[in-house]
Amino acid sequence: VGNYTNMELKEAIQNLYEHGLYAIVSDRVYNNTVPTGQVISQSMVQGTHMKAGEIVELTVSLGKETVLVPDVQYLEFSKAKEELEKLGFVVKSEKQDSDIVQKGKIIKQDLVAGKQVDKGSQIKLIISNGSKKLTAAIERSEEFNNQVAINNSNSEVSNNSTSQSNN
């Protein structure tokens, strides 16, 4: 028996037939290195002597496994990352301010949802930092509230001093 690995299935079957042997496809599996339709492995080791009419089992590549890109926009980053990693994606991320999308949620993704891609593909997610305008407004509001509280406590102190001096 010859070596039929990395050979096109049709060519391997033809070659075996020319040597009086038969081939059957025993399995078809995904493989990241062997292209679709090529033989990954064979049941008999190269150099094994076989009688005419015997069968050699071949495992054939389905090529790289693909997955459907889900739509993770507006999901919490941790949930989106978990879902994507379960599907075999390598998740990268960066943060960006957004006046529309809540802090910690996905603004957008670089792979189009609904598209088939190779399993193990990288996907980049843009995560919201929240709104700078809203953050600034909250900070100004907190500063205002703190100033009012300070003013109120100062006026209470001065009121208490005044009422004590009147006694």
Side-chain angles (χ1 to χ4, degrees), residues 103 129-142:
K103 184 176 183 175
N129 274 334
S131 171
K132 274 199 170 185
K133 292 176 189 174
L134 181 60
T135 302
I138 290 169
E139 287 171 358
R140 283 193 303 275
S141 174
E142 287 173 351

Side-chain angles (χ1 to χ4, degrees), residues 13-47:
I13 291 170
Q14 181 65 37
N15 195 304
L16 284 163
Y17 184 74
E18 288 170 2
H19 289 92
L21 302 171
Y22 294 99
I24 62 166
V25 175
S26 61
D27 204 0
R28 291 181 185 267
V29 297
Y30 291 105
N31 188 290
N32 289 335
T33 56
V34 179
T36 304
Q38 289 187 1
V39 176
I40 297 172
S41 64
Q42 59 194 57
S43 61
M44 296 301 201
V45 178
Q46 180 180 358

Side-chain angles (χ1 to χ4, degrees), residues 41-124:
S41 64
Q42 59 194 57
S43 61
M44 296 301 201
V45 178
Q46 180 180 358
T48 303
H49 294 287
M50 297 182 73
K51 296 177 190 167
E54 286 193 280
I55 296 172
V56 176
E57 295 180 18
L58 304 174
T59 299
V60 179
S61 176
L62 292 171
K64 290 183 178 182
E65 186 172 2
T66 61
V67 291
L68 189 66
V69 178
D71 184 1
V72 295
Q73 190 175 15
Y74 307 121
L75 291 181
E76 287 289 336
F77 172 69
S78 58
K79 183 172 171 49
K81 184 176 189 234
E82 180 182 341
E83 181 180 333
L84 290 165
E85 287 177 342
K86 278 183 186 175
L87 292 171
F89 286 95
V90 174
V91 179
K92 301 292 180 188
S93 65
E94 66 180 52
K95 293 189 175 187
Q96 181 177 310
D97 296 331
S98 173
D99 293 334
I100 299 168
V101 180
Q102 290 178 331
K103 184 176 183 175
K105 295 195 175 191
I106 306 303
I107 298 170
K108 63 182 174 181
Q109 60 193 62
D110 69 342
L111 296 180
V112 178
K115 181 179 176 188
Q116 287 287 133
V117 298
D118 291 340
K119 190 172 187 175
S121 292
Q122 180 176 300
I123 186 169
K124 185 163 99 177

